[in-house]
Amino acid sequence: MKRDTDDRCDDDIVVRVRGLANRFGEQAVHENLDLEVRRGEILGVVGGSGTGKSVLMRSIIGLQTPAEGEIAVFGEPMIGRDETEAKNVRRRWGVLFQGGALFSTLTVAENVQVPLREYYRRLDQRLLDEIATYKVAMSGLPPEAGPKYPSELSGGMKKRAGLARALALDPELLFLDEPTAGLDPIGAAAFDELILELKATMGLTVFLITHDLDTLYAICDRVAVLADRKVIAIGTIEELLALDHPWIQEYFNGPRGRAAAGGDQDLGRAEREEGPRLREQQRQAEAGQVQAQGAEGVAR
Ligand SMILES: Nc1ncnc2c1ncn2[C@@H]1O[C@H](COP(=O)(O)OP(=O)(O)OP(=O)(O)O)[C@@H](O)[C@H]1O
């Protein structure tokens, strides 16, 4: 299980990373990293801050050129690929970056239309508008969100708008970088549900970077753990818990891990008692009535 190098048929492996190395000057972020993402799974990617989760995602989607290694997506090698060929693979995935990365001068609907315009130059405006309306609805946003600018949206709505854009091209593979970070517990759980629904209806494969233990327990089929510059373990949470690794044990068996697994009554009670107050605080902050101080880092 540790190196995830079982001999599955290539069709079952959507992303294959072999011997990946990434370096920034003297700093080695990855060395000899291997990873496989299986078709139809939601793979959670966890690791301490700075262990290189985002750099790994950026390497897979071609925004970071690795120092060494091989990356294949849908069986197609991605490194050093001719731009036209790479583009044909890229159109098959969608990405939700941390913070949404929406174009601030475009409305939500226009943001969704950006990848459509890039890949389908001949679509007329009426069709672009129709597709954007459909993607906005798929992401759980009300129709009124379409003509709004990102600055007019709450944090949760921005995530959904980013998701609508990621879904624009009907992807087979979705990359999500900390999609529930900064969301209140109810918003985060709703986002988890949405991802599960999309996986079921679209047959999506999902690469999901998260620090959110509830998300890991609620929707991930397997979890990959980054530490010491590589994937040190990958498997179901149950399989990871059987490993005698201090970081994994602390992460999943610490108070938050136990609460997420439903086993820590005291922490669960504290969250139930504090939750409504914190959620109301965040709701007001999002509505622009109060400063968001204190609403960040709310444990789910
Ligand atoms: N463009 C860059 N130039 C130099 N260093 C970088 C660059 N991008 C990332 N790094 C460094 O690589 C390391 C890994 O960064 P990365 O953002 O992948 O971490 P992460 O695991 O996603 O962290 P977090 O959980 O805090 O988001 C960090 O030390 C970061 O400073």
Side-chain angles (χ1 to χ4, degrees), residues 1 23 36 41 66-67 73-74 76 97 100 116 138-139 143 146 195 200 214 217-218 249 257 267 284:
M1 181 184 66
R23 299 178 196 116
E36 284 178 357
E41 77 173 344
V73 184
F74 305 118
E76 303 280 347
F97 291 98
L116 293 165
M138 257 177 105
S139 306
I195 299 302
D214 283 336
Y217 275 98
Q249 287 300 326
L267 189 58
Q284 288 182 11

Side-chain angles (χ1 to χ4, degrees), residues 6-13 16:
D6 56 10
D7 291 326
R8 282 172 178 262
C9 152
D10 275 357
D11 282 354
D12 288 342
I13 304 299
R16 175 171 274 140

Side-chain angles (χ1 to χ4, degrees), residues 215-233:
T215 298
L216 292 175
Y217 275 98
I219 68 170
C220 290
D221 298 295
R222 296 191 305 155
V223 177
V225 181
L226 256 74
D228 304 329
R229 296 177 288 282
K230 49 174 73 81
V231 174
I232 56 161

Side-chain angles (χ1 to χ4, degrees), residues 5-300:
T5 51
D6 56 10
D7 291 326
R8 282 172 178 262
C9 152
D10 275 357
D11 282 354
D12 288 342
I13 304 299
V14 173
V15 178
R16 175 171 274 140
V17 179
R18 285 280 174 272
L20 184 75
N22 273 301
R23 299 178 196 116
F24 297 107
E26 295 289 293
Q27 183 192 9
V29 177
H30 301 132
E31 284 294 348
N32 205 19
L33 181 150
D34 294 339
L35 177 74
E36 284 178 357
V37 185
R38 298 173 183 166
R39 184 172 300 281
E41 77 173 344
I42 300 181
L43 178 75
V45 178
V46 303
S49 217
T51 47
K53 301 178 292 295
S54 297
V55 172
L56 173 60
M57 186 182 103
R58 291 171 62 83
S59 304
I60 298 170
I61 64 177
L63 296 179
Q64 165 78 37
T65 306
E68 289 167 30
E70 291 164 24
I71 295 172
V73 184
F74 305 118
E76 303 280 347
M78 298 304 294
I79 296 176
R81 197 77 196 258
D82 158 70
E83 179 51 26
T84 313
E85 288 173 349
K87 211 171 164 186
N88 282 333
V89 182
R90 279 207 299 270
R91 74 197 301 166
R92 297 171 67 185
W93 72 56
V95 186
L96 172 59
F97 291 98
Q98 249 182 63
L102 296 165
F103 296 108
S104 59
T105 55
L106 302 182
T107 65
V108 170
E110 287 165 348
N111 264 281
V112 176
Q113 291 171 12
V114 168
L116 293 165
R117 287 181 194 283
E118 188 186 346
Y119 284 94
Y120 300 101
R121 288 167 194 264
R122 288 166 194 235
L123 288 185
D124 66 33
Q125 191 55 49
R126 192 185 50 78
L127 197 51
L128 285 169
D129 290 340
E130 266 177 34
I131 297 172
T133 303
Y134 174 59
K135 299 298 172 182
V136 165
M138 257 177 105
S139 306
L141 284 169
E144 309 84 78
K148 287 201 156 102
Y149 287 91
S151 59
E152 300 172 292
L153 304 178
S154 71
M157 290 170 88
K158 276 187 196 144
K159 302 263 184 191
R160 286 177 187 266
L163 183 65
R165 190 178 59 189
L167 296 174
L169 298 170
D170 292 328
E172 297 159 60
L173 169 63
L174 196 56
F175 292 93
L176 305 173
D177 195 349
E178 298 198 32
T180 57
L183 297 189
D184 68 77
I186 293 173
F191 202 94
D192 288 348
E193 278 298 312
L194 176 62
I195 299 302
L196 266 188
E197 246 176 68
L198 292 171
K199 177 196 159 185
T201 53
M202 298 176 71
L204 280 171
T205 302
V206 183
F207 177 101
L208 165 70
I209 298 176
T210 188
H211 287 289
D212 191 325
L213 279 151
D214 283 336
T215 298
L216 292 175
Y217 275 98
I219 68 170
C220 290
D221 298 295
R222 296 191 305 155
V223 177
V225 181
L226 256 74
D228 304 329
R229 296 177 288 282
K230 49 174 73 81
V231 174
I232 56 161
I234 186 165
T236 62
I237 293 178
E238 202 179 19
E239 286 169 334
L240 294 180
L241 278 169
L243 300 176
D244 185 23
H245 187 283
W247 191 88
I248 294 172
Q249 287 300 326
E250 176 61 28
Y251 189 73
F252 288 103
N253 264 333
R256 282 168 187 254
R258 289 200 308 276
D264 191 322
Q265 300 303 323
D266 285 346
L267 189 58
R269 189 167 57 242
E271 283 183 344
R272 275 197 302 283
E273 286 166 3
E274 277 292 275
R277 185 182 66 77
L278 292 167
R279 281 196 288 282
E280 176 57 17
Q281 207 175 22
Q282 187 164 334
R283 191 192 64 73
Q284 288 182 11
E286 283 187 352
Q289 292 166 3
V290 295
Q291 293 293 313
Q293 288 164 357
E296 282 179 17
V298 176
R300 291 177 55 199

